Amino acid sequence: MKRIIHWALGVLGMLLSISLAVTLTLNARWLYVSVMEREHLPEYTGYSSEEILANYDAVIEYNSILGPEKLEFPTLPMSEGGRIHFEEVKVIFVALQIIGVISFVVLGVFAILAIKKKDSDALSVLRNTGILAVAIPSAIGVGVALNWDRAFVIFHKIFFANDLWLFDPRTDPVIRILPDTYFLACTVMIISLVIISSILCLALYFAIRIKICKRT
């Protein structure tokens, strides 16, 4: 039973890693700026850098757990289909953030109890988190590396029950300032952060294990 619980907590640890990685990436304005400059979006879209960033900021703020209930672009129009899609996207982002908070609380309580009881077996949660957090992102990373376009389509078909994500730039010009290369950069950053968290968990697990073995 304890082993099952520790693997279940490892799943929570993985979800916490993913939640943190997604949240950090979502708020990595510098990442978008680098893509905007590399893709020459002002020249491509005809919008100034300031206008592009203002509309981008509106999307990011909207998808925050504390963001506004309604998305309003400073200068860009939006179709009803576009509004519905962004609402669906927000549900996913907010759900991830809520899962992250819940996972953090549960794991925090577990860690405190384990430390009080001096339960060395509880360390397996760190190991399990590290294993899960490296296995799943690595598998996704392989799919992305093999065929990014197909992976992008599959992702949308899994998480959305409609084709509203296929924006028409004439009615939803926001898609012109959100190129595929930005989503690819976000995917790479998320996978990288999750793998880093996995390595940290495994490193911490082995470091504590070695310390315990030296005491005995």
Side-chain angles (χ1 to χ4, degrees):
M1 178 59 72
K2 181 182 283 189
R3 189 174 182 181
I4 294 174
I5 292 174
H6 288 179
W7 273 107
L9 290 170
V11 172
L12 283 183
M14 177 195 68
L15 292 174
L16 175 59
S17 297
I18 294 174
S19 174
L20 286 173
V22 171
T23 301
L24 287 173
T25 302
L26 179 65
N27 290 280
R29 195 172 191 262
W30 61 267
L31 182 65
Y32 179 77
V33 171
S34 67
V35 172
M36 179 184 72
E37 293 175 348
R38 188 171 62 251
E39 296 295 321
H40 307 289
L41 291 185
E43 292 86 347
Y44 170 71
T45 63
Y47 303 128
S48 67
S49 297
E50 293 75 15
E51 186 176 6
I52 290 173
L53 289 174
N55 288 284
Y56 163 79
D57 288 339
V59 174
I60 301 306
E61 183 182 1
Y62 172 71
N63 283 296
S64 170
I65 193 171
L66 299 177
E69 293 185 4
K70 187 176 181 181
L71 175 60
E72 295 288 352
F73 289 120
T75 62
L76 300 180
M78 178 170 47
S79 69
E80 184 59 26
R83 185 178 301 281
I84 292 172
H85 178 66
F86 278 115
E87 288 174 353
E88 293 173 338
V89 170
K90 177 167 182 163
V91 169
I92 294 173
F93 278 121
V94 171
L96 270 175
Q97 293 169 65
I98 292 174
I99 289 171
V101 171
I102 293 173
S103 299
F104 178 78
V105 171
V106 172
L107 290 170
V109 171
F110 173 78
I112 292 172
L113 293 176
I115 291 172
K116 285 185 176 181
K117 295 179 180 179
K118 296 182 179 180
D119 183 8
S120 59
D121 289 341
L123 281 173
S124 62
V125 174
L126 273 175
R127 180 200 62 202
N128 297 344
T129 297
I131 292 172
L132 292 171
V134 75
I136 295 178
S138 296
I140 296 174
V142 170
V144 169
L146 290 175
N147 193 327
W148 159 247
D149 290 334
R150 180 160 178 75
F152 188 70
V153 171
I154 291 174
F155 168 83
H156 283 82
K157 288 188 176 296
I158 291 174
F159 287 97
F160 303 103
N162 53 58
D163 292 331
L164 295 177
W165 59 276
L166 295 170
F167 281 19
D168 184 339
R170 293 171 298 180
T171 56
D172 290 289
V174 65
I175 195 61
R176 299 182 66 205
I177 68 171
L178 296 173
D180 282 354
T181 47
Y182 170 63
F183 294 110
L184 175 58
C186 287
T187 301
V188 171
M189 181 173 175
I190 290 170
I191 292 174
S192 299
L193 288 174
V194 174
I195 290 177
I196 289 171
S197 70
S198 167
I199 293 172
L200 291 175
C201 285
L202 291 173
L204 184 59
Y205 167 76
F206 286 113
I208 297 176
R209 271 294 179 194
I210 291 172
K211 191 173 182 180
I212 291 175
C213 290
K214 285 182 178 180
R215 288 180 179 176
T216 56

